[in-house]
Amino acid sequence: MFMKIISDRSEINFDNLEQFVYHHPHGNFFQSTKAYEFFQSVENYEPVLLVAKKGNEMVGSLLAALMKEKGIKGYFSRRCIVWGGPLVKEDNPHIAHGLLDKLNQIVSSKTIYTEFRNLYDICWAQASFLENGFQFNDHLNYLVKVDSLENAKRKLSKSKLRQINQSLKLGASIIEPRNLEDVRNFYHILVKLYKEKVKKSLPVFNFFEKFYTGVSLGKYFLIEQNNRIVGGILCPIYKDTIYEWFVCGKDGDIKNVYPSVLATWAPIEYAARNGLTYFDFMGAGKPDADYGVREFKSKFGGELVNYGRFLRINKPVLYFIGKVGVKVLGWVGSVF
């Protein structure tokens, strides 16, 4: 039967799409209709939504986010990011090929590169990606399976369990934001971290505000000490999984208080208390590159997986300039 790829939102039934994503074995927040609406509401983001149909049956979907920085940096930061997609009925590579081909048609002239950040094993579609100009790169991640609070604590390394207990004993606490100012204080810590250590681009505050005011997108867990926000984490929630998207902590400010450890523990504890099954760290770096954060993440009892990423360079010259700018000029806020 002839397959049609739909990119016009007015032709997409969002209720049917949400049912397709929710019931798909690999359905996730980042491919959901809520994610589409969230990306649509955020400054410097533009969602691209594709649906594959055979007759009246929905057989595939793909949600991508076009992103860029503000001002003149926007020209050198245009990229397309896909988390956890595509979703395809019965892992049919022909359907995946059609979705990827349509995505390339829409975004290749608008962006410097397209990257798929895989949240599940998508080896069945590797040929489809290669045929559409993508290359596979190894990329690690940790998935923490949560069945009970007792077992979650047992899986922690002794050092992390000790740091959690010390932090709580010295008055640190895990809270949810009481108002937008709490979110803003969290964001200020995040900005400092990304500027001084991560050296990657960070969404503007509007992104974090919209996540806070959005309906049923997930949770913020903030770390408070002496009436000050000293860390936190932003976590989408979908089906049985809670995800780490952005996390930070003012580690070292107070002796024996570890905000980053508490912030990372908070969603695992929440999952255990609320019947969720997985905490997804959303990445642990390339296996052949030093990545100190991977050592940190390894202490929380997760399984190390390598689902990798697919990269398509749409504008090789601009991509090369970006890579050189990072390595030679030390550009801060890199998207490469």
Side-chain angles (χ1 to χ4, degrees):
M1 183 181 294
F2 175 74
M3 181 177 68
K4 181 180 180 182
I5 306 294
I6 302 170
S7 59
D8 186 340
R9 173 180 172 158
S10 66
E11 297 181 24
I12 298 173
N13 184 311
F14 269 54
D15 289 336
N16 291 347
L17 173 60
E18 184 57 35
Q19 286 296 311
F20 176 80
V21 174
Y22 189 86
H23 292 290
H24 191 280
H26 302 297
N28 60 82
F29 169 81
F30 302 96
Q31 293 297 306
S32 70
T33 56
K34 287 185 177 181
Y36 175 90
E37 292 163 356
F38 173 67
F39 291 143
Q40 194 173 47
S41 72
V42 173
E43 293 177 13
N44 307 321
Y45 277 62
E46 178 189 343
V48 175
L49 180 60
L50 305 176
V51 165
K53 295 187 73 174
K54 289 185 176 181
N56 292 324
E57 182 186 12
M58 191 173 295
V59 294
S61 68
L62 172 58
L63 174 60
L66 303 185
M67 302 152 62
K68 64 179 182 179
E69 310 312 301
K70 298 182 71 173
I72 194 169
K73 285 179 65 178
Y75 183 76
F76 294 98
S77 64
R78 296 167 293 157
R79 69 266 190 203
C80 174
I81 305 296
V82 179
W83 293 273
L87 301 178
V88 169
K89 182 181 178 182
E90 297 176 350
D91 293 347
N92 185 318
H94 172 69
I95 299 171
H97 187 285
L99 289 166
L100 294 172
D101 179 62
K102 185 66 173 181
L103 181 69
N104 284 343
Q105 292 176 36
I106 294 172
V107 309
S108 61
S109 64
K110 301 179 180 179
T111 60
I112 296 173
Y113 66 88
T114 302
E115 185 174 56
F116 280 72
R117 300 179 179 178
N118 303 326
L119 299 182
Y120 66 97
D121 187 350
I122 199 169
C123 63
W124 57 270
Q126 185 150 347
S128 299
F129 276 96
L130 297 178
E131 290 163 4
N132 278 281
F134 288 86
Q135 64 182 36
F136 179 82
N137 298 303
D138 290 314
H139 203 93
L140 303 174
N141 188 25
Y142 277 101
L143 294 173
V144 180
K145 188 171 184 179
V146 184
D147 48 14
S148 71
L149 185 59
E150 181 182 358
N151 285 340
K153 288 182 177 179
R154 187 180 297 119
K155 290 178 182 179
L156 290 170
S157 72
K158 291 181 180 179
S159 63
K160 290 294 171 271
L161 183 58
R162 182 177 65 253
Q163 289 168 355
I164 290 168
N165 291 333
Q166 286 177 329
S167 300
L168 295 173
K169 185 176 181 180
L170 290 174
S173 59
I174 300 168
I175 67 167
E176 294 186 32
R178 294 155 294 205
N179 48 51
L180 193 57
E181 189 62 25
D182 282 345
V183 176
R184 193 179 300 277
N185 290 332
F186 161 75
Y187 182 68
H188 290 328
I189 301 170
L190 202 57
V191 168
K192 188 173 188 293
L193 172 68
Y194 270 65
K195 182 178 180 180
E196 296 179 357
K197 294 184 178 180
V198 179
K199 299 188 184 300
K200 293 286 187 180
S201 64
L202 182 70
V204 297
F205 179 68
N206 168 264
F207 176 101
F208 298 88
E209 178 184 5
K210 293 296 184 180
F211 190 88
Y212 176 63
T213 58
V215 178
S216 301
L217 297 176
K219 291 279 187 181
Y220 276 100
F221 302 101
L222 304 182
I223 310 306
E224 188 174 58
Q225 172 77 20
N226 297 330
N227 297 315
R228 292 189 309 123
I229 301 300
V230 295
I233 188 169
L234 179 157
C235 296
I237 300 172
Y238 193 76
K239 294 169 66 173
D240 63 349
T241 302
I242 184 167
Y243 305 84
E244 174 189 297
W245 209 354
F246 292 96
V247 62
C248 61
K250 300 181 74 172
D251 298 321
D253 274 20
I254 302 174
K255 186 178 180 181
N256 293 327
V257 174
Y258 304 90
S260 293
V261 176
L262 265 188
T264 305
W265 166 247
I268 299 174
E269 181 181 40
Y270 178 87
R273 294 186 184 279
N274 290 274
L276 302 178
T277 306
Y278 293 100
F279 171 58
D280 189 332
F281 269 105
M282 294 284 289
K286 299 176 181 178
D288 58 349
D290 291 335
Y291 187 61
V293 178
R294 181 162 60 243
E295 177 67 17
F296 175 86
K297 293 182 177 183
S298 71
K299 305 299 184 182
F300 289 86
E303 176 191 0
L304 185 64
V305 297
N306 182 4
Y307 297 147
R309 294 179 174 181
F310 287 102
L311 176 68
R312 185 181 195 271
I313 300 172
N314 302 320
K315 298 186 182 300
V317 173
L318 290 179
Y319 187 83
F320 176 77
I321 292 172
K323 297 287 280 188
V324 170
V326 171
K327 293 181 179 179
V328 178
L329 302 178
W331 288 354
V332 176
S334 164
V335 298
F336 297 93

